[in-house]
Amino acid sequence: MAVTLEQARRVGYTCLKALLRFAFMVANNLVAIPSYVLYLIILQPLRVLDSKSFWYIEGVLFKWLLAMVSSWGWWAGYTVVEWGDDVKAVSEDEAMVLVNHQATGDVCTLMMCLQDKGTVVRQMMWLMDHIFKYTNFGIVSLIHGDFFIRQGKAHREQQLVLLKEHLEKYYRSRNRKWIVLFPEGGFLRKRRETSQEFAKKNNLPFLKHVTLPRTGATQVIMKTLVVPQENGTPAGRDTVIKENKSKGLQWVIDTTIAYPKGEPIDIQTWILGYRQPTVTHVHYRIFPVKDVPAEPEALTHWLYQRFIEKEDLLTHFYETGAFPPLQGQTKAISREMTLSNLWLVVIQSLAFLSGGMWYCILQYFYHCLF
């Protein structure tokens, strides 16, 4: 089939746009990430004198970096519509966020849609696959205190011990509020077949749009971060309260990401922007932590039920283009998530100005020394 001149122009424009976006992203990373690191090196005395102020500043810088990543998708027309409970109402409380996982773009989507949720982004902790430690953003996540988890049966028990130690050491000492994890333990396309075989052997529902979650990390988080209540939370839960009078984990936010036609966005698309503008749909359900069972077997069942509900939500979405209404509602209500272009431009400008400033400073010291 012959290619028309119009088609050739369209392809050429798409390739040129992708190349320019990639160049901008590389430049963005080269100035923003080193600046983040250098600012925090300079602020190390503050970390000793006033740890709370140090981690507040680090959180602000971290949020700006995530806003920078969000801008790549936002300016390509990859927007978000939100459904279900309004999580802004619990943005100042401690919460565990459970998310289904389809592609690398899921993380970018969360980076974007949590930007307008108060202090959430600067006070959140991510649980992610250890491979992300070796990406361009790995040094940022290491400094921020995110946890990199290694997958596989051979590492599972050790990783859960390390997770518990990590939470005890960093979660409340750095004033973290939200912890985000992907309980499926991998992308849908990679885990679906294995999950379906497991479901068949254990008389569990057959799932197509999600997989059955792995429960180890969730159990550790619940056991470590939930504070015993006066009305009698089961004994034996560990807590890390220390001096800060934390109320502990108060909410579980079940988050379901849906892409039109079930076609997820990956990180390459997010960066290069060669896909047509796309609206990603994010659904939230908020559960009080007191309603979440503590015992491992009961918690596993509870988690399975959440992902079975996700299956129903996604089935409804793919059939109708919308999520179903919440219980007690007659009509589902959606909310368009928005970002300020002016704010994003300011963030990008600060990144490049910081990069220029640090370059001049380092050049000055280089010439002084040599």
Side-chain angles (χ1 to χ4, degrees), residues 28-41 139-140 358:
N28 230 179
N29 278 276
L30 288 176
V31 296
I33 293 176
S35 294
Y36 167 88
V37 175
L38 289 168
Y39 278 128
L40 295 181
I41 290 174
I139 183 65
V140 174
W358 287 114

Side-chain angles (χ1 to χ4, degrees), residues 93 112 115 142 158 241 245 259 273 302 330 335 354 361:
D93 299 332
M112 176 189 285
Q115 281 290 325
L142 279 169
Q158 180 195 33
I241 309 306
K245 298 180 180 179
Y259 299 95
W302 187 87
T330 57
R335 305 173 296 276
S354 294
I361 291 173

Side-chain angles (χ1 to χ4, degrees), residues 33 36-37 40 47 54-55 58 62 65 125-126 128-149 166 170 174 176:
I33 293 176
Y36 167 88
V37 175
L40 295 181
R47 183 177 180 179
F54 174 85
W55 289 113
E58 185 279 333
F62 184 78
L65 284 179
M125 178 182 286
W126 296 76
M128 59 188 77
D129 192 281
H130 80 287
I131 196 67
F132 287 101
K133 186 188 297 185
Y134 308 105
T135 65
N136 61 311
F137 217 76
I139 183 65
V140 174
S141 290
L142 279 169
I143 293 172
H144 184 69
D146 296 328
F147 184 77
F148 299 94
I149 192 163
H166 186 88
Y170 297 118
R174 299 185 181 184
R176 298 296 174 243

Side-chain angles (χ1 to χ4, degrees), residues 17 32 57 92 107 112 123 173 181 223-225 227 258 263 289-290 308 316 334 342 345 366:
K17 183 177 71 171
I57 295 171
E92 297 301 317
V107 175
M112 176 189 285
Q123 292 182 293
S173 67
L181 67 154
K223 187 177 181 182
T224 308
L225 300 183
V227 176
E263 298 174 356
V289 78
K290 64 182 179 61
I308 292 168
H316 189 280
S334 63
L342 176 60
V345 169
Y366 177 81

Side-chain angles (χ1 to χ4, degrees), residues 31-312:
V31 296
I33 293 176
S35 294
Y36 167 88
V37 175
L38 289 168
Y39 278 128
L40 295 181
I41 290 174
I42 293 296
L43 289 171
Q44 285 304 303
L46 179 63
R47 183 177 180 179
V48 175
L49 297 172
D50 187 352
S51 176
K52 184 176 180 180
S53 295
F54 174 85
W55 289 113
Y56 175 88
I57 295 171
E58 185 279 333
V60 171
L61 295 175
F62 184 78
K63 180 175 181 177
W64 289 357
L65 284 179
L66 267 59
M68 184 185 75
V69 175
S70 301
S71 71
W72 305 341
W74 183 257
W75 287 336
Y78 304 146
T79 57
V80 173
V81 166
E82 298 178 310
W83 303 76
D85 294 324
D86 186 357
V87 296
K88 287 183 181 179
V90 299
S91 61
E92 297 301 317
D93 299 332
E94 289 189 26
M96 175 171 60
V97 184
L98 308 175
V99 193
N100 61 315
H101 208 10
Q102 300 176 68
T104 47
D106 297 341
V107 175
C108 300
T109 296
L110 287 174
M111 287 181 178
M112 176 189 285
C113 64
L114 295 179
Q115 281 290 325
D116 66 344
K117 307 299 187 295
T119 62
V120 164
V121 173
R122 66 178 177 84
Q123 292 182 293
M124 70 195 311
M125 178 182 286
W126 296 76
L127 264 65
M128 59 188 77
D129 192 281
H130 80 287
I131 196 67
F132 287 101
K133 186 188 297 185
Y134 308 105
T135 65
N136 61 311
F137 217 76
I139 183 65
V140 174
S141 290
L142 279 169
I143 293 172
H144 184 69
D146 296 328
F147 184 77
F148 299 94
I149 192 163
R150 188 181 293 272
Q151 303 293 341
K153 291 182 180 180
H155 309 285
R156 191 166 299 160
E157 294 303 319
Q158 180 195 33
Q159 291 298 298
L160 295 179
V161 172
L162 292 175
L163 172 59
K164 183 177 185 297
E165 293 174 352
H166 186 88
L167 294 173
E168 291 175 339
K169 186 175 182 180
Y170 297 118
Y171 191 80
R172 294 205 171 93
S173 67
R174 299 185 181 184
N175 196 28
R176 298 296 174 243
K177 292 291 183 69
W178 282 26
I179 183 164
V180 181
L181 67 154
F182 300 89
E184 290 166 296
F187 299 138
L188 174 63
R189 67 179 187 276
K190 293 183 177 181
R191 290 212 60 242
R192 179 160 40 199
E193 186 176 343
T194 303
S195 176
Q196 289 171 347
E197 290 175 358
F198 177 84
K200 185 177 181 180
K201 291 178 182 178
N202 292 273
N203 295 318
L204 294 167
F206 183 87
L207 307 177
K208 295 191 299 181
H209 305 307
V210 295
T211 67
L212 289 169
R214 293 169 177 173
T215 61
T218 306
Q219 291 176 5
V220 169
I221 292 168
M222 292 287 292
K223 187 177 181 182
T224 308
L225 300 183
V226 174
V227 176
Q229 304 296 314
E230 293 181 0
N231 59 1
T233 297
R237 288 192 180 184
D238 299 325
T239 57
V240 192
I241 309 306
K242 298 184 179 179
E243 72 283 352
N244 59 2
K245 298 180 180 179
S246 169
K247 294 180 180 178
L249 199 68
Q250 295 171 265
W251 310 99
V252 175
I253 303 175
D254 186 32
T255 304
T256 304
I257 298 176
Y259 299 95
K261 300 180 182 179
E263 298 174 356
I265 298 176
D266 54 29
I267 188 66
Q268 299 95 317
T269 306
W270 193 268
I271 292 169
L272 300 177
Y274 51 78
R275 182 168 165 177
Q276 290 298 309
T278 301
V279 178
T280 301
H281 297 257
V282 181
H283 183 278
Y284 305 105
R285 283 194 69 197
I286 301 174
F287 296 88
V289 78
K290 64 182 179 61
D291 294 340
V292 181
E295 295 304 316
E297 186 174 344
L299 178 58
T300 296
H301 176 75
W302 187 87
L303 280 172
Y304 283 176
Q305 289 303 308
R306 300 290 74 75
F307 276 78
I308 292 168
E309 288 175 5
K310 284 180 184 292
E311 176 78 11
D312 295 336

